[in-house]
């Protein structure tokens, strides 16, 4: 629609360049600033400034060179912690420097808790062996899967002036116009909060409230956001682009909300994030896609504690004042839902508690509904869903509530995962779980759809008892196996538990979809971690382990992914070697019986013909 504007309040971007010695850090910086390849480069450059008119956003850049010598580690850590973005370099002619990114540099950033965009840059492109040509995507894809903080990968040559300005342009852009708040890379869709913000903007610009932006309204929007009008031919072009891809994006009144959202998804897909960010910022949104504090007069809305939109503990007690006792004062309900700062319940938490009680004890749930004065037919308050076995045959679950069994060895991170689901802070101290614990909350899916997820933590020493019952997995919609990604023994034990649960499901007919979670992703992985986990997951036909870090609040959409796997249960059911052999045996038997049946039929037909 137009060029971007300088994000309000951003006076400069600080980019720190780090990497192994000899990978071309200083040459990269000098060539970017002076636009000429240096003949003599000092060991360490002073801070280098690119003027504000260097790039379209008109925000000055300060580039910090760093030393990779061991004695300078303290200074390096200090600079990395002050960075707005980090450029990590490797040399295209030295493969070992590329390996060092995943074995040292990226883990080092995590250990220092540097939570900024990372741009990986392959320098000395002109020196790479022509016999070892390989695509950048092929090389970087595994690393980017493991380290999601990597925003962009690019190769360059300071000597031949190939893609040098682009390096710091991408770094600046990742700071000023971040992808994360707007777009879900996994589902390739706009994030719900972004959709809600754009919907509000659309409604504000739809002055006649007819559900579409007319040519005049579209032009007013353009002028407000970009200070430049759209020519009639440009308006026609915009609507044609939308209509060619999405018929419902344009109607006789103009650009619809669907078309408006599609346009922004298209901008992001084409790398034009600055366009969407300019629109959001013009309407008062910050980087968290929330209205800036200065737009909301908080002082005008001082309220007493009983004026919020939550139930305080005393009000929860009042709800059950006509029942024999409050059923949620005891386990497993007492600590199963997210609490407010005052110990109360939000609407989602209140409904989650009812959901958990209905799941575990439907009769008691109905009983308490009657006690508190439910006016309708109490039996109509509960919906009976079809059996899980049928869901797997139909390859689709219609449930709104999913129960997830959480397995894993001691100190793997199960409780931290449960606590994070309830919004509780991460605790460094370890406290083993003696009894089964529950955590229940709503999970918002794309499109604003909400499902309720119940996590049931199974202590390691309680697995044998659980699996001693034939129907123990019957109420399970999905099983999750958590292990400490820095501890090989934790991985081996989690694999054993996965085999036990999968084997039990195959033996009893209650097979469940399974996911593996690699917890403590902020720590260094044990040697052979990727190879071992890939081999096991491929052998069993399930997804590779999902890395998370409760400490860094990096959950990789884990709860949404659990719900998605439960909704399509047939896609994630593991298969053991014994189960595979059993299926092959049954196929052989069935084939043999079919041959016998056909042979008998032929014999009978032959006999009938002979008699005739």
């Amino acid at each position: 629609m137009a060029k971007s504007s300088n994000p309000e309040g951003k006076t400069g971007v600080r980019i720190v360049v780090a990497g192994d010695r000899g990978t071309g850090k200083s040459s990269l910086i000098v060539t970017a600033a002076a636009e000429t390849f240096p003949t003599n480069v000092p060991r360490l450059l002073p801070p280098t400034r690119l003027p504000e008119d260097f790039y379209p956003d008109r925000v000055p850049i300060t580039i910090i060179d760093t030393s990779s010598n061991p004695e300078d580690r303290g200074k390096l850590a200090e600079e990395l912690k002050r960075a707005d973005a980090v450029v990590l370099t490797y040399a295209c002619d030295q493969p070992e420097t590329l390996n060092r990114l995943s074995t040292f540099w990226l883990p080092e950033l995590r250990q220092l808790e540097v939570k900024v965009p990372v741009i990986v840059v392959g320098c000395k492109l002109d020196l790479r062996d022509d016999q070892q040509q390989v695509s950048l995507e092929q090389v970087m894809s595994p690393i980017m899967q493991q380290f999601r903080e990597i925003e962009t990968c690019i190769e360059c040559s300071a000597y031949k002036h190939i893609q040098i300005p682009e390096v710091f342009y991408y770094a600046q852009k990742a700071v000023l116009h971040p992808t994360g708040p707007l777009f879900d890379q996994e589902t390739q869709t706009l994030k719900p909060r972004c959709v809600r913000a754009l919907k509000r903007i659309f409604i504000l610009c739809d002055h006649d409230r007819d559900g579409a932006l007319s040519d005049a309204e579209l032009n007013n929007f353009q002028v407000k956001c970009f200070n430049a009008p759209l020519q009639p031919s440009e308006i026609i072009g915009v609507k044609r682009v939308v209509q060619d891809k999405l018929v419902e994006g344009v109607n006789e009144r103009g650009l619809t909300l669907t078309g408006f959202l599609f346009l922004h998804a298209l901008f992001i897909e084409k790398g034009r994030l600055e366009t969407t960010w300019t629109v959001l910022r013009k309407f008062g949104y910050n980087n968290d896609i929330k209205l800036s504090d200065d737009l909301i007069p908080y002082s005008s809305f001082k309220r007493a504690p009983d004026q919020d939109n939550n139930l305080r503990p005393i009000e929860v007690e009042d709800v059950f004042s006509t029942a024999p006792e409050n059923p949620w004062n005891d386990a497993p309900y007492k600590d199963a839902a997210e609490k407010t700062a005052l110990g109360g319940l939000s609407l989602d938490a209140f409904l989650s508690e009812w959901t958990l009680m209905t799941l575990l004890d439907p009769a008691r749930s109905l009983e308490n509904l009657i006690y508190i004065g439910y006016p309708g037919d109490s039996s109509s308050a509960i919906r009976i869903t079809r059996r899980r076995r049928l869901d797997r045959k139909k390859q689709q679950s219609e449930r709104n509530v999913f129960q997830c069994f959480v397995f894993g060895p001691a100190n793997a991170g199960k409780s931290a995962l449960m606590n994070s689901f309830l919004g509780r802070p991460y605790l460094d101290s370890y406290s083993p779980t003696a009894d089964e614990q529950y955590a229940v909350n709503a999970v918002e899916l794309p499109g604003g759809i909400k499902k309720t997820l119940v996590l049931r933590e199974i202590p390691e020493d309680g697995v044998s008892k659980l699996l001693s019952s034939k129907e123990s997995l019957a109420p399970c919609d999905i099983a999750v196996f958590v292990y400490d990604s820095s501890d090989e023994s934790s991985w081996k034990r989690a694999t054993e538990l996965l085999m036990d649960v999968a084997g039990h499901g195959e033996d009893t007919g209650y097979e469940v979809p399974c996911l593996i979670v690699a917890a403590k992703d902020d720590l260094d992985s044990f040697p052979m971690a990727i190879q071992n986990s890939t081999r096991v997951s491929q052998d069993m036909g399930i997804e590779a382990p999902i890395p998370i870090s409760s400490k860094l609040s990096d959950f990789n959409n884990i709860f949404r992914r659990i719900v998605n796997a439960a909704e399509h249960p047939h896609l994630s059911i593991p298969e053991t070697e014994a189960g595979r052999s059993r299926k092959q045996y049954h196929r052989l038997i069935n084939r043999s019986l079919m041959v016998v049946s056909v042979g008998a039929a032929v014999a009978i037909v032959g006999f009938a013909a002979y008699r005739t």
Side-chain angles (χ1 to χ4, degrees), residues 495-526:
T495 306
E496 291 171 359
L497 293 172
L498 172 60
M499 295 291 187
D500 290 344
V501 171
H504 184 79
E506 290 171 341
D507 292 341
T508 61
Y510 293 107
E511 296 164 297
V512 296
C514 297
L515 293 178
I516 308 173
V517 173
K520 306 185 184 181
D521 192 39
D522 49 286
L523 303 178
D524 292 336
S525 301
F526 64 86

Side-chain angles (χ1 to χ4, degrees), residues 389 466-474 504 507-510:
R389 282 182 177 178
L466 176 77
L467 298 183
S468 64
S469 166
K470 178 183 177 181
E471 297 185 342
S472 58
L473 296 179
H504 184 79
D507 292 341
T508 61
Y510 293 107

Side-chain angles (χ1 to χ4, degrees), residues 70-308:
E71 61 268 23
D72 296 323
R73 286 285 294 277
K75 177 65 174 173
L76 171 65
E78 181 184 326
E79 293 292 1
L80 289 171
K81 289 180 179 180
R82 295 177 60 199
D84 292 319
V86 173
V87 168
L88 285 184
T89 61
Y90 68 93
C92 293
D93 62 331
Q94 301 172 47
E96 65 276 10
T97 62
L98 175 60
N99 295 334
R100 284 265 296 168
L101 295 182
S102 54
T103 60
F104 173 75
W105 286 105
L106 288 160
E108 178 75 359
L109 291 179
R110 288 187 174 181
Q111 186 174 343
L112 294 172
E113 298 188 12
V114 177
K115 301 179 183 178
V116 298
V118 175
I119 311 299
V120 171
V121 180
C123 300
K124 306 184 181 183
L125 179 60
D126 54 290
L127 297 181
R128 185 163 62 193
D129 186 355
D130 291 338
Q131 303 300 317
Q132 296 180 350
Q133 289 291 342
V134 62
S135 72
L136 181 62
E137 181 181 2
Q138 189 177 352
V139 170
M140 292 306 305
S141 183
I143 299 176
M144 293 185 75
Q145 285 287 330
Q146 186 179 0
F147 298 97
R148 294 178 304 281
E149 55 267 42
I150 298 174
E151 187 84 15
T152 306
C153 301
I154 185 173
E155 291 180 332
C156 67
S157 167
Y159 180 70
K160 292 194 174 183
H161 294 268
I162 299 173
Q163 296 205 121
I164 296 299
E166 286 84 349
V167 169
F168 298 104
Y169 171 69
Y170 287 133
Q172 184 199 60
K173 189 175 178 180
V175 176
L176 302 181
H177 314 297
T179 306
L182 302 184
F183 200 68
D184 189 323
Q185 298 283 12
E186 182 187 340
T187 60
Q188 292 291 293
T189 57
L190 296 173
K191 286 192 171 179
R193 188 176 286 182
C194 178
V195 170
R196 290 169 180 269
L198 291 173
K199 181 178 180 180
R200 171 179 171 265
I201 291 169
F202 179 89
I203 292 171
L204 290 175
C205 295
D206 181 18
H207 299 298
D208 57 11
R209 299 292 185 268
D210 65 349
L213 298 183
S214 65
D215 291 0
E217 290 168 338
L218 198 57
N219 188 61
N220 290 338
F221 164 79
Q222 173 77 10
V223 171
K224 177 179 175 63
C225 294
F226 304 102
N227 301 316
L230 282 171
Q231 298 301 317
S233 60
E234 292 175 319
I235 293 176
I236 293 171
V238 167
K239 292 195 291 187
R240 183 180 296 126
V241 166
V242 174
Q243 203 160 27
D244 286 348
K245 297 287 186 180
L246 203 68
V247 175
E248 64 270 28
V250 177
N251 61 26
E252 66 279 1
R253 295 185 298 276
L255 185 72
T256 66
L257 173 60
T258 304
F260 187 71
L261 295 174
F262 169 78
L263 264 183
H264 285 279
L266 186 63
F267 291 143
I268 295 169
E269 184 184 326
K270 300 294 185 184
R272 294 279 305 281
L273 289 96
E274 63 272 18
T275 302
T276 299
W277 274 118
T278 300
V279 171
L280 290 168
R281 286 169 179 142
K282 185 62 71 171
F283 280 85
Y285 288 94
N286 58 24
N287 275 15
D288 295 322
I289 321 273
K290 290 184 177 180
L291 290 178
S292 303
D293 290 345
D294 56 352
L295 294 177
I296 304 171
Y298 287 105
S299 58
S300 303
F301 297 102
K302 291 181 178 178
R303 298 180 296 178
D306 61 347
Q307 288 180 292
D308 59 16

Side-chain angles (χ1 to χ4, degrees), residues 231-437:
Q231 298 301 317
S233 60
E234 292 175 319
I235 293 176
I236 293 171
V238 167
K239 292 195 291 187
R240 183 180 296 126
V241 166
V242 174
Q243 203 160 27
D244 286 348
K245 297 287 186 180
L246 203 68
V247 175
E248 64 270 28
V250 177
N251 61 26
E252 66 279 1
R253 295 185 298 276
L255 185 72
T256 66
L257 173 60
T258 304
F260 187 71
L261 295 174
F262 169 78
L263 264 183
H264 285 279
L266 186 63
F267 291 143
I268 295 169
E269 184 184 326
K270 300 294 185 184
R272 294 279 305 281
L273 289 96
E274 63 272 18
T275 302
T276 299
W277 274 118
T278 300
V279 171
L280 290 168
R281 286 169 179 142
K282 185 62 71 171
F283 280 85
Y285 288 94
N286 58 24
N287 275 15
D288 295 322
I289 321 273
K290 290 184 177 180
L291 290 178
S292 303
D293 290 345
D294 56 352
L295 294 177
I296 304 171
Y298 287 105
S299 58
S300 303
F301 297 102
K302 291 181 178 178
R303 298 180 296 178
D306 61 347
Q307 288 180 292
D308 59 16
N309 194 31
N310 303 306
L311 287 177
R312 293 178 296 153
I314 191 171
E315 291 170 327
V316 176
E317 289 294 330
D318 190 51
V319 168
F320 292 103
S321 61
T322 53
E325 66 273 324
N326 181 346
W328 299 344
N329 280 342
D330 303 316
Y333 311 105
K334 185 177 180 181
D335 296 314
E338 185 174 2
K339 299 287 179 67
T340 66
L342 298 175
L345 297 175
S346 67
L347 176 60
D348 276 344
F350 179 76
L351 295 175
S352 294
E353 287 277 22
W354 278 108
T355 299
L356 179 61
M357 188 160 62
T358 305
L359 180 72
L360 301 181
D361 194 346
R364 191 180 185 198
S365 184
L366 282 175
E367 179 185 8
N368 277 280
L369 276 175
I370 296 169
Y371 274 129
I372 66 174
Y374 181 74
D377 177 6
S378 57
S379 61
S380 66
I382 293 180
R383 172 173 166 257
I384 306 297
T385 56
R386 67 190 182 196
R387 299 187 65 182
R388 290 176 175 85
R389 282 182 177 178
L390 188 55
D391 282 346
R392 283 151 206 163
K393 286 183 180 178
K394 297 282 187 181
Q395 301 186 354
Q396 179 77 37
S397 177
E398 299 174 343
R399 296 170 180 271
N400 291 317
V401 181
F402 297 100
Q403 182 167 201
C404 170
F405 286 15
V406 181
F407 296 94
N411 202 19
K414 302 188 296 298
S415 297
L417 179 68
M418 304 275 285
N419 286 333
S420 67
F421 188 44
L422 300 180
R424 294 172 184 161
Y426 173 81
L427 300 176
D428 276 312
S429 57
Y430 171 61
S431 177
T433 303
D435 302 312
E436 290 189 357
Q437 303 287 336

